[in-house]
Amino acid sequence: MKVGVLSFAHVHAGGFARLLDDMEGVEVLAADPDTDLAAPGEVRGREFADRLGVAYAHSYEELFAWGPDKVVVCSENVRHRPLVELAAAHGADVLCEKPLATTEEDGAAMVEACRAAGVRLAVAHPVRFSPAYTAVRAAVRSGTAGGVLAVSGANNGYLPAARRRWFADPRLAGGGALMDHAVHIADLLDDLFEASPATTVYAQVNNVLHAGQVDADTAGLVTVEYANGAVATIDCSWSQPQHHPAWGGLQMQVIGDRATLEMDAFDQKVHGFSESSRAPFELPYGVNLDALMLRSFLYGSGGGTSVTDGESGLRSLRIVTAAYRSAREGRAVPVRDVRRLLPS
């Protein structure tokens, strides 16, 4: 199977390329010609490919001439749409980094382009593959937890601009921490509630954290009401200190009328303190969620979990865009029905 990696702009691009290159029966070719938005000192293009040890094409045209079966889009968020549409025009299935796009209109156009071309569009939300989340989902769907009344979720992490500056540029990313992190929990809830639609969103954002370093929002709190009656809160902040041994994490508490469920997607690790370096450390031992997601994209779902599809990615994006509107207007706002954005 031939798999192309389009752009090294995203912080996950290198990890995806390595995982794909290590898979038996998979050939990988990467292209990263659009480095005009890279900050000084950021390693991109051929040099980055050489560090990864993966084959490199100097242009997207050269990569598509190679004839990929599937591609992974890891560009700046604002460039997702043209690359996804290019892949669809060449008949390649697409896994697009999250968020799907920076606007609902672009996201809907991407979904339609892939539908019209008869190719698969997936969105990179690896937390669906967490054993902790799948246990929560099983308890909810089996009725063990009863009806879900409320959900409290947090997805916190480092300020990613230290590795790729564009993350904190709203023109390129579509926003800041809210755009970067709220979509992960929104995606889990979309799956957990089996697409019971979000109806209303209220949000507040600020940039008190990392003040003076970036102009984008660095902290946010989003409240989402769903048609099934559940209310969810999402803490989506770049609040993890750079000296912490872990990049961040994702936790979720689901309160049902029969049980309360708690999960931590990335806490399968041993915690300790190094006497030699005089610093805390963590040794992970859990499954690699990115690897599970990539295998699902390449070969189909395993263990009952499927990679997020384009329409689900669009539903999560509409929650985020409604949240930004709410923060601007200082009021709760309705969430647009994704079906109205798509052709019948």
Side-chain angles (χ1 to χ4, degrees):
M1 183 184 296
K2 294 181 176 181
V3 182
V5 176
L6 308 186
S7 180
F8 289 142
H10 201 282
V11 294
H12 292 158
F16 290 167
R18 284 195 181 100
L19 287 168
L20 290 165
D21 200 47
D22 288 342
M23 292 182 183
E24 185 176 354
V26 175
E27 298 178 55
V28 178
L29 183 64
D32 185 34
D34 297 331
T35 58
D36 54 305
L37 301 179
E42 292 182 355
V43 179
R44 298 274 301 271
R46 164 69 77 175
E47 182 180 356
F48 192 66
D50 289 345
R51 291 189 183 185
L52 297 173
V54 300
Y56 186 74
H58 291 283
S59 68
Y60 295 130
E61 291 77 11
E62 181 183 344
L63 187 148
F64 281 107
W66 174 64
D69 302 293
K70 302 176 186 288
V71 300
V72 182
V73 173
C74 297
S75 65
E76 298 86 354
N77 297 344
V78 75
R79 286 176 165 166
H80 284 179
R81 177 178 176 177
L83 290 179
V84 167
E85 291 178 335
L86 180 64
H90 284 85
D93 289 340
V94 187
L95 174 65
C96 182
E97 251 300 348
K98 60 82 194 167
L100 179 63
T102 58
T103 69
E104 294 177 60
E105 290 72 21
D106 279 353
M110 294 157 65
V111 171
E112 172 56 18
C114 291
R115 185 203 64 77
V119 302
R120 184 184 186 193
L121 174 60
V123 187
H125 284 295
V127 185
R128 281 198 185 193
F129 296 87
S130 163
Y133 169 67
T134 57
V136 167
R137 182 180 62 187
V140 169
R141 293 190 178 177
S142 68
T144 301
V148 176
L149 306 174
V151 178
S152 175
N155 185 199
N156 306 133
Y158 292 145
L159 174 68
R163 293 176 61 188
R164 289 288 189 260
R165 187 177 63 182
W166 68 266
F167 272 92
D169 185 340
R171 298 171 302 167
L172 306 179
L178 193 156
M179 178 66 78
D180 187 31
H181 277 177
V183 288
H184 276 303
I185 293 176
D187 177 69
L188 295 184
L189 296 177
D190 188 78
D191 181 57
L192 187 68
F193 296 152
E194 298 183 282
S196 176
T199 57
T200 308
V201 172
Y202 177 76
Q204 292 192 5
V205 299
N206 63 43
N207 62 351
V208 175
L209 296 170
H210 313 290
Q213 297 181 48
V214 297
D215 295 328
D217 55 281
T218 55
L221 186 62
V222 183
T223 301
V224 188
E225 296 181 359
Y226 287 84
N228 62 4
V231 177
T233 59
I234 303 172
D235 174 354
C236 47
S237 306
W238 289 332
S239 55
Q240 192 81 319
Q242 291 292 335
H243 62 266
H244 197 277
W247 64 269
L250 187 150
Q251 300 84 33
M252 195 164 70
Q253 182 182 64
V254 178
I255 301 170
D257 55 21
R258 295 180 60 188
T260 295
L261 312 169
E262 295 184 352
M263 62 160 280
D264 189 326
F266 297 99
D267 200 37
Q268 292 180 304
K269 59 186 70 171
V270 175
H271 304 261
F273 186 86
S274 170
E275 290 292 341
S276 59
S277 64
R278 308 299 298 173
F281 69 90
E282 297 179 342
L283 299 176
Y285 60 84
V287 296
N288 187 313
L289 304 188
D290 287 343
L292 294 177
M293 177 188 67
L294 289 169
R295 286 195 175 278
S296 177
F297 171 60
L298 297 185
Y299 303 114
S301 63
T305 301
S306 299
V307 68
T308 302
D309 63 28
E311 290 199 22
S312 181
L314 182 56
R315 287 192 292 269
S316 296
L317 175 62
R318 68 178 182 163
I319 291 174
V320 171
T321 56
Y324 275 118
R325 181 183 168 196
S326 170
R328 289 193 304 269
E329 298 179 2
R331 63 181 184 91
V333 300
V335 181
R336 282 201 290 176
D337 187 341
V338 69
R339 291 169 297 182
R340 296 179 183 177
L341 298 172
L342 300 171
S344 59

